[in-house]
Amino acid sequence: MTLQNGKGGPSNFVWYELVTSDAKAAEAFYRGVVGWEADVQPGITPGEPYTILKAGKVPVAGMLAMPKDFFASGNKPGWIGYLGVDDVDEYTKRVQAAGGKVHRPVREIPSVGRFSVVADPQGTVFVLFQAKEGAQRPPQPPPATPGFANWHELHAVDGKSAFEFYSGMFGWKKTEVMDMGPSGVYQMFAADGPTMGGMMTAEDQANRPGWIYYFNVDSADAAAGRVKEKGGKVLMGPHEVPGGSWIVQGIDPQGALFAVVGPK
């Protein structure tokens, strides 16, 4: 697990993690759909192994199986993003002061870094992460390389105030904006590089997904077929988006929402 903090500039996503009910089944699904390799390692909690998902030899994401009582209490399987910061204690306090919530106080991952689990003022959960001093992120490949994260999309209670929170907290800047008619606007944003995502007011507030993370695949059509073959469900797509890429949104067999993007 090799991550990089946000020191010296706006915060960016540095890691992605799937919380699931069945790690072995989820591993088989994502290996088949996205093409990741997997490496099971000891977790920070005894008895809870942690699976590293790799694009080639580069770690991209992680996966953690939670006990049954975690889901019995109303939690659902899902993906969560890690935002790199240079002082996790300070940012945790800032999130809380801005109206957010701390779900898990700052905790250490030995030899890796420190993290906290928080939520924005509208209830969307994410992780704050501070890498251990001296840790470096591997060189990032070209944007469309299969297996790597490509896009970050927030379906908010209110898109405008959500952007105000994230831009004020993490230094994100507005880039392009797309008028979606009755659905409002789709505001795209960047950290310290190219546009990396977009935010909007969710059309279906009762089933608002929060953050959706898009991972690159070799072919959107082929990936949609693999989702069905592996026991998942395609919710949308393949659907063309501005710029010529095609996206697919789906649900894995354990119930986690995910998305992929690639050529048709």
PDB file of all heavy atoms in Angstrom, residues 50-72:
ATOM      1  N   TYR A  50      -6.403  -7.881   4.596  1.00  0.00           N
ATOM      2  CA  TYR A  50      -6.637  -6.751   3.699  1.00  0.00           C
ATOM      3  C   TYR A  50      -6.135  -7.136   2.316  1.00  0.00           C
ATOM      4  O   TYR A  50      -4.997  -7.579   2.157  1.00  0.00           O
ATOM      5  CB  TYR A  50      -5.895  -5.524   4.208  1.00  0.00           C
ATOM      6  CG  TYR A  50      -6.286  -4.227   3.535  1.00  0.00           C
ATOM      7  CD1 TYR A  50      -7.427  -3.545   3.927  1.00  0.00           C
ATOM      8  CD2 TYR A  50      -5.507  -3.681   2.511  1.00  0.00           C
ATOM      9  CE1 TYR A  50      -7.784  -2.342   3.329  1.00  0.00           C
ATOM     10  CE2 TYR A  50      -5.864  -2.485   1.905  1.00  0.00           C
ATOM     11  CZ  TYR A  50      -7.011  -1.821   2.326  1.00  0.00           C
ATOM     12  OH  TYR A  50      -7.362  -0.638   1.721  1.00  0.00           O
ATOM     13  N   THR A  51      -6.989  -6.979   1.297  1.00  0.00           N
ATOM     14  CA  THR A  51      -6.627  -7.350  -0.061  1.00  0.00           C
ATOM     15  C   THR A  51      -6.207  -6.115  -0.845  1.00  0.00           C
ATOM     16  O   THR A  51      -6.964  -5.142  -0.924  1.00  0.00           O
ATOM     17  CB  THR A  51      -7.809  -8.023  -0.777  1.00  0.00           C
ATOM     18  OG1 THR A  51      -8.193  -9.198  -0.048  1.00  0.00           O
ATOM     19  CG2 THR A  51      -7.432  -8.433  -2.198  1.00  0.00           C
ATOM     20  N   ILE A  52      -5.006  -6.131  -1.398  1.00  0.00           N
ATOM     21  CA  ILE A  52      -4.516  -5.064  -2.262  1.00  0.00           C
ATOM     22  C   ILE A  52      -4.871  -5.413  -3.699  1.00  0.00           C
ATOM     23  O   ILE A  52      -4.565  -6.508  -4.182  1.00  0.00           O
ATOM     24  CB  ILE A  52      -2.991  -4.895  -2.136  1.00  0.00           C
ATOM     25  CG1 ILE A  52      -2.595  -4.628  -0.678  1.00  0.00           C
ATOM     26  CG2 ILE A  52      -2.504  -3.778  -3.051  1.00  0.00           C
ATOM     27  CD1 ILE A  52      -3.039  -3.302  -0.136  1.00  0.00           C
ATOM     28  N   LEU A  53      -5.526  -4.502  -4.399  1.00  0.00           N
ATOM     29  CA  LEU A  53      -5.889  -4.688  -5.794  1.00  0.00           C
ATOM     30  C   LEU A  53      -4.895  -3.916  -6.653  1.00  0.00           C
ATOM     31  O   LEU A  53      -4.657  -2.728  -6.422  1.00  0.00           O
ATOM     32  CB  LEU A  53      -7.316  -4.197  -6.040  1.00  0.00           C
ATOM     33  CG  LEU A  53      -8.385  -4.929  -5.210  1.00  0.00           C
ATOM     34  CD1 LEU A  53      -9.728  -4.220  -5.317  1.00  0.00           C
ATOM     35  CD2 LEU A  53      -8.505  -6.375  -5.638  1.00  0.00           C
ATOM     36  N   LYS A  54      -4.325  -4.583  -7.648  1.00  0.00           N
ATOM     37  CA  LYS A  54      -3.239  -4.000  -8.432  1.00  0.00           C
ATOM     38  C   LYS A  54      -3.572  -3.955  -9.918  1.00  0.00           C
ATOM     39  O   LYS A  54      -4.169  -4.882 -10.464  1.00  0.00           O
ATOM     40  CB  LYS A  54      -1.960  -4.818  -8.247  1.00  0.00           C
ATOM     41  CG  LYS A  54      -1.445  -4.877  -6.819  1.00  0.00           C
ATOM     42  CD  LYS A  54      -0.189  -5.735  -6.744  1.00  0.00           C
ATOM     43  CE  LYS A  54       0.384  -5.793  -5.343  1.00  0.00           C
ATOM     44  NZ  LYS A  54       1.595  -6.634  -5.282  1.00  0.00           N
ATOM     45  N   ALA A  55      -3.146  -2.866 -10.554  1.00  0.00           N
ATOM     46  CA  ALA A  55      -3.152  -2.769 -12.006  1.00  0.00           C
ATOM     47  C   ALA A  55      -1.736  -3.104 -12.452  1.00  0.00           C
ATOM     48  O   ALA A  55      -0.823  -2.296 -12.283  1.00  0.00           O
ATOM     49  CB  ALA A  55      -3.550  -1.370 -12.459  1.00  0.00           C
ATOM     50  N   GLY A  56      -1.543  -4.288 -12.969  1.00  0.00           N
ATOM     51  CA  GLY A  56      -0.185  -4.754 -13.204  1.00  0.00           C
ATOM     52  C   GLY A  56       0.485  -4.979 -11.864  1.00  0.00           C
ATOM     53  O   GLY A  56      -0.008  -5.725 -11.029  1.00  0.00           O
ATOM     54  N   LYS A  57       1.594  -4.278 -11.622  1.00  0.00           N
ATOM     55  CA  LYS A  57       2.285  -4.402 -10.343  1.00  0.00           C
ATOM     56  C   LYS A  57       2.015  -3.221  -9.419  1.00  0.00           C
ATOM     57  O   LYS A  57       2.553  -3.177  -8.301  1.00  0.00           O
ATOM     58  CB  LYS A  57       3.799  -4.534 -10.590  1.00  0.00           C
ATOM     59  CG  LYS A  57       4.197  -5.798 -11.344  1.00  0.00           C
ATOM     60  CD  LYS A  57       5.704  -5.888 -11.496  1.00  0.00           C
ATOM     61  CE  LYS A  57       6.111  -7.169 -12.217  1.00  0.00           C
ATOM     62  NZ  LYS A  57       7.580  -7.281 -12.372  1.00  0.00           N
ATOM     63  N   VAL A  58       1.207  -2.267  -9.871  1.00  0.00           N
ATOM     64  CA  VAL A  58       0.989  -1.039  -9.096  1.00  0.00           C
ATOM     65  C   VAL A  58      -0.267  -1.146  -8.246  1.00  0.00           C
ATOM     66  O   VAL A  58      -1.367  -1.362  -8.774  1.00  0.00           O
ATOM     67  CB  VAL A  58       0.880   0.181 -10.031  1.00  0.00           C
ATOM     68  CG1 VAL A  58       0.681   1.455  -9.214  1.00  0.00           C
ATOM     69  CG2 VAL A  58       2.118   0.295 -10.902  1.00  0.00           C
ATOM     70  N   PRO A  59      -0.166  -0.981  -6.920  1.00  0.00           N
ATOM     71  CA  PRO A  59      -1.356  -0.986  -6.067  1.00  0.00           C
ATOM     72  C   PRO A  59      -2.278   0.187  -6.409  1.00  0.00           C
ATOM     73  O   PRO A  59      -1.823   1.320  -6.553  1.00  0.00           O
ATOM     74  CB  PRO A  59      -0.776  -0.829  -4.654  1.00  0.00           C
ATOM     75  CG  PRO A  59       0.642  -1.284  -4.762  1.00  0.00           C
ATOM     76  CD  PRO A  59       1.083  -0.869  -6.138  1.00  0.00           C
ATOM     77  N   VAL A  60      -3.553  -0.108  -6.552  1.00  0.00           N
ATOM     78  CA  VAL A  60      -4.537   0.909  -6.934  1.00  0.00           C
ATOM     79  C   VAL A  60      -5.601   1.090  -5.861  1.00  0.00           C
ATOM     80  O   VAL A  60      -6.066   2.192  -5.601  1.00  0.00           O
ATOM     81  CB  VAL A  60      -5.211   0.518  -8.271  1.00  0.00           C
ATOM     82  CG1 VAL A  60      -6.343   1.473  -8.607  1.00  0.00           C
ATOM     83  CG2 VAL A  60      -4.195   0.473  -9.393  1.00  0.00           C
ATOM     84  N   ALA A  61      -6.004  -0.016  -5.241  1.00  0.00           N
ATOM     85  CA  ALA A  61      -7.122   0.019  -4.298  1.00  0.00           C
ATOM     86  C   ALA A  61      -6.975  -1.110  -3.299  1.00  0.00           C
ATOM     87  O   ALA A  61      -6.121  -1.989  -3.432  1.00  0.00           O
ATOM     88  CB  ALA A  61      -8.442  -0.094  -5.050  1.00  0.00           C
ATOM     89  N   GLY A  62      -7.829  -1.093  -2.286  1.00  0.00           N
ATOM     90  CA  GLY A  62      -7.837  -2.135  -1.278  1.00  0.00           C
ATOM     91  C   GLY A  62      -9.236  -2.657  -1.040  1.00  0.00           C
ATOM     92  O   GLY A  62     -10.226  -2.052  -1.464  1.00  0.00           O
ATOM     93  N   MET A  63      -9.311  -3.773  -0.355  1.00  0.00           N
ATOM     94  CA  MET A  63     -10.605  -4.382  -0.096  1.00  0.00           C
ATOM     95  C   MET A  63     -10.608  -5.004   1.295  1.00  0.00           C
ATOM     96  O   MET A  63      -9.651  -5.680   1.686  1.00  0.00           O
ATOM     97  CB  MET A  63     -10.906  -5.441  -1.159  1.00  0.00           C
ATOM     98  CG  MET A  63     -12.252  -6.113  -1.023  1.00  0.00           C
ATOM     99  SD  MET A  63     -12.637  -7.099  -2.480  1.00  0.00           S
ATOM    100  CE  MET A  63     -11.236  -8.222  -2.518  1.00  0.00           C
ATOM    101  N   LEU A  64     -11.678  -4.768   2.023  1.00  0.00           N
ATOM    102  CA  LEU A  64     -11.787  -5.241   3.398  1.00  0.00           C
ATOM    103  C   LEU A  64     -13.158  -5.860   3.608  1.00  0.00           C
ATOM    104  O   LEU A  64     -14.182  -5.235   3.315  1.00  0.00           O
ATOM    105  CB  LEU A  64     -11.580  -4.077   4.372  1.00  0.00           C
ATOM    106  CG  LEU A  64     -11.726  -4.366   5.860  1.00  0.00           C
ATOM    107  CD1 LEU A  64     -10.612  -5.306   6.323  1.00  0.00           C
ATOM    108  CD2 LEU A  64     -11.687  -3.069   6.665  1.00  0.00           C
ATOM    109  N   ALA A  65     -13.186  -7.098   4.090  1.00  0.00           N
ATOM    110  CA  ALA A  65     -14.452  -7.751   4.427  1.00  0.00           C
ATOM    111  C   ALA A  65     -14.810  -7.415   5.872  1.00  0.00           C
ATOM    112  O   ALA A  65     -13.989  -7.574   6.780  1.00  0.00           O
ATOM    113  CB  ALA A  65     -14.339  -9.253   4.244  1.00  0.00           C
ATOM    114  N   MET A  66     -16.025  -6.950   6.077  1.00  0.00           N
ATOM    115  CA  MET A  66     -16.486  -6.618   7.419  1.00  0.00           C
ATOM    116  C   MET A  66     -17.357  -7.744   7.964  1.00  0.00           C
ATOM    117  O   MET A  66     -17.987  -8.491   7.207  1.00  0.00           O
ATOM    118  CB  MET A  66     -17.282  -5.315   7.384  1.00  0.00           C
ATOM    119  CG  MET A  66     -16.465  -4.114   6.912  1.00  0.00           C
ATOM    120  SD  MET A  66     -15.068  -3.736   8.002  1.00  0.00           S
ATOM    121  CE  MET A  66     -15.926  -2.986   9.379  1.00  0.00           C
ATOM    122  N   PRO A  67     -17.422  -7.879   9.292  1.00  0.00           N
ATOM    123  CA  PRO A  67     -18.257  -8.937   9.881  1.00  0.00           C
ATOM    124  C   PRO A  67     -19.739  -8.707   9.618  1.00  0.00           C
ATOM    125  O   PRO A  67     -20.169  -7.604   9.279  1.00  0.00           O
ATOM    126  CB  PRO A  67     -17.936  -8.830  11.384  1.00  0.00           C
ATOM    127  CG  PRO A  67     -17.393  -7.453  11.574  1.00  0.00           C
ATOM    128  CD  PRO A  67     -16.695  -7.102  10.306  1.00  0.00           C
ATOM    129  N   LYS A  68     -20.528  -9.779   9.767  1.00  0.00           N
ATOM    130  CA  LYS A  68     -21.949  -9.726   9.431  1.00  0.00           C
ATOM    131  C   LYS A  68     -22.710  -8.669  10.221  1.00  0.00           C
ATOM    132  O   LYS A  68     -23.637  -8.046   9.715  1.00  0.00           O
ATOM    133  CB  LYS A  68     -22.591 -11.098   9.640  1.00  0.00           C
ATOM    134  CG  LYS A  68     -22.114 -12.153   8.650  1.00  0.00           C
ATOM    135  CD  LYS A  68     -22.812 -13.488   8.887  1.00  0.00           C
ATOM    136  CE  LYS A  68     -22.351 -14.531   7.870  1.00  0.00           C
ATOM    137  NZ  LYS A  68     -23.006 -15.842   8.100  1.00  0.00           N
ATOM    138  N   ASP A  69     -22.313  -8.468  11.484  1.00  0.00           N
ATOM    139  CA  ASP A  69     -23.054  -7.497  12.292  1.00  0.00           C
ATOM    140  C   ASP A  69     -22.878  -6.068  11.796  1.00  0.00           C
ATOM    141  O   ASP A  69     -23.704  -5.196  12.053  1.00  0.00           O
ATOM    142  CB  ASP A  69     -22.675  -7.593  13.771  1.00  0.00           C
ATOM    143  CG  ASP A  69     -21.185  -7.409  14.026  1.00  0.00           C
ATOM    144  OD1 ASP A  69     -20.424  -7.223  13.054  1.00  0.00           O
ATOM    145  OD2 ASP A  69     -20.781  -7.460  15.204  1.00  0.00           O
ATOM    146  N   PHE A  70     -21.792  -5.809  11.036  1.00  0.00           N
ATOM    147  CA  PHE A  70     -21.588  -4.480  10.452  1.00  0.00           C
ATOM    148  C   PHE A  70     -22.706  -4.166   9.467  1.00  0.00           C
ATOM    149  O   PHE A  70     -23.230  -3.051   9.429  1.00  0.00           O
ATOM    150  CB  PHE A  70     -20.231  -4.433   9.758  1.00  0.00           C
ATOM    151  CG  PHE A  70     -19.941  -3.139   9.033  1.00  0.00           C
ATOM    152  CD1 PHE A  70     -19.468  -2.037   9.723  1.00  0.00           C
ATOM    153  CD2 PHE A  70     -20.130  -3.029   7.660  1.00  0.00           C
ATOM    154  CE1 PHE A  70     -19.196  -0.843   9.068  1.00  0.00           C
ATOM    155  CE2 PHE A  70     -19.859  -1.847   6.994  1.00  0.00           C
ATOM    156  CZ  PHE A  70     -19.388  -0.756   7.707  1.00  0.00           C
ATOM    157  N   PHE A  71     -23.083  -5.132   8.668  1.00  0.00           N
ATOM    158  CA  PHE A  71     -24.141  -4.927   7.678  1.00  0.00           C
ATOM    159  C   PHE A  71     -25.533  -5.102   8.287  1.00  0.00           C
ATOM    160  O   PHE A  71     -26.496  -4.508   7.821  1.00  0.00           O
ATOM    161  CB  PHE A  71     -23.935  -5.880   6.498  1.00  0.00           C
ATOM    162  CG  PHE A  71     -22.629  -5.655   5.785  1.00  0.00           C
ATOM    163  CD1 PHE A  71     -21.571  -6.536   5.951  1.00  0.00           C
ATOM    164  CD2 PHE A  71     -22.441  -4.545   4.986  1.00  0.00           C
ATOM    165  CE1 PHE A  71     -20.354  -6.327   5.312  1.00  0.00           C
ATOM    166  CE2 PHE A  71     -21.216  -4.315   4.348  1.00  0.00           C
ATOM    167  CZ  PHE A  71     -20.189  -5.214   4.514  1.00  0.00           C
ATOM    168  N   ALA A  72     -25.628  -5.909   9.334  1.00  0.00           N
ATOM    169  CA  ALA A  72     -26.920  -6.093   9.997  1.00  0.00           C
ATOM    170  C   ALA A  72     -27.422  -4.797  10.625  1.00  0.00           C
ATOM    171  O   ALA A  72     -28.628  -4.599  10.798  1.00  0.00           O
ATOM    172  CB  ALA A  72     -26.806  -7.181  11.063  1.00  0.00           C
TER     173      ALA A  72
END
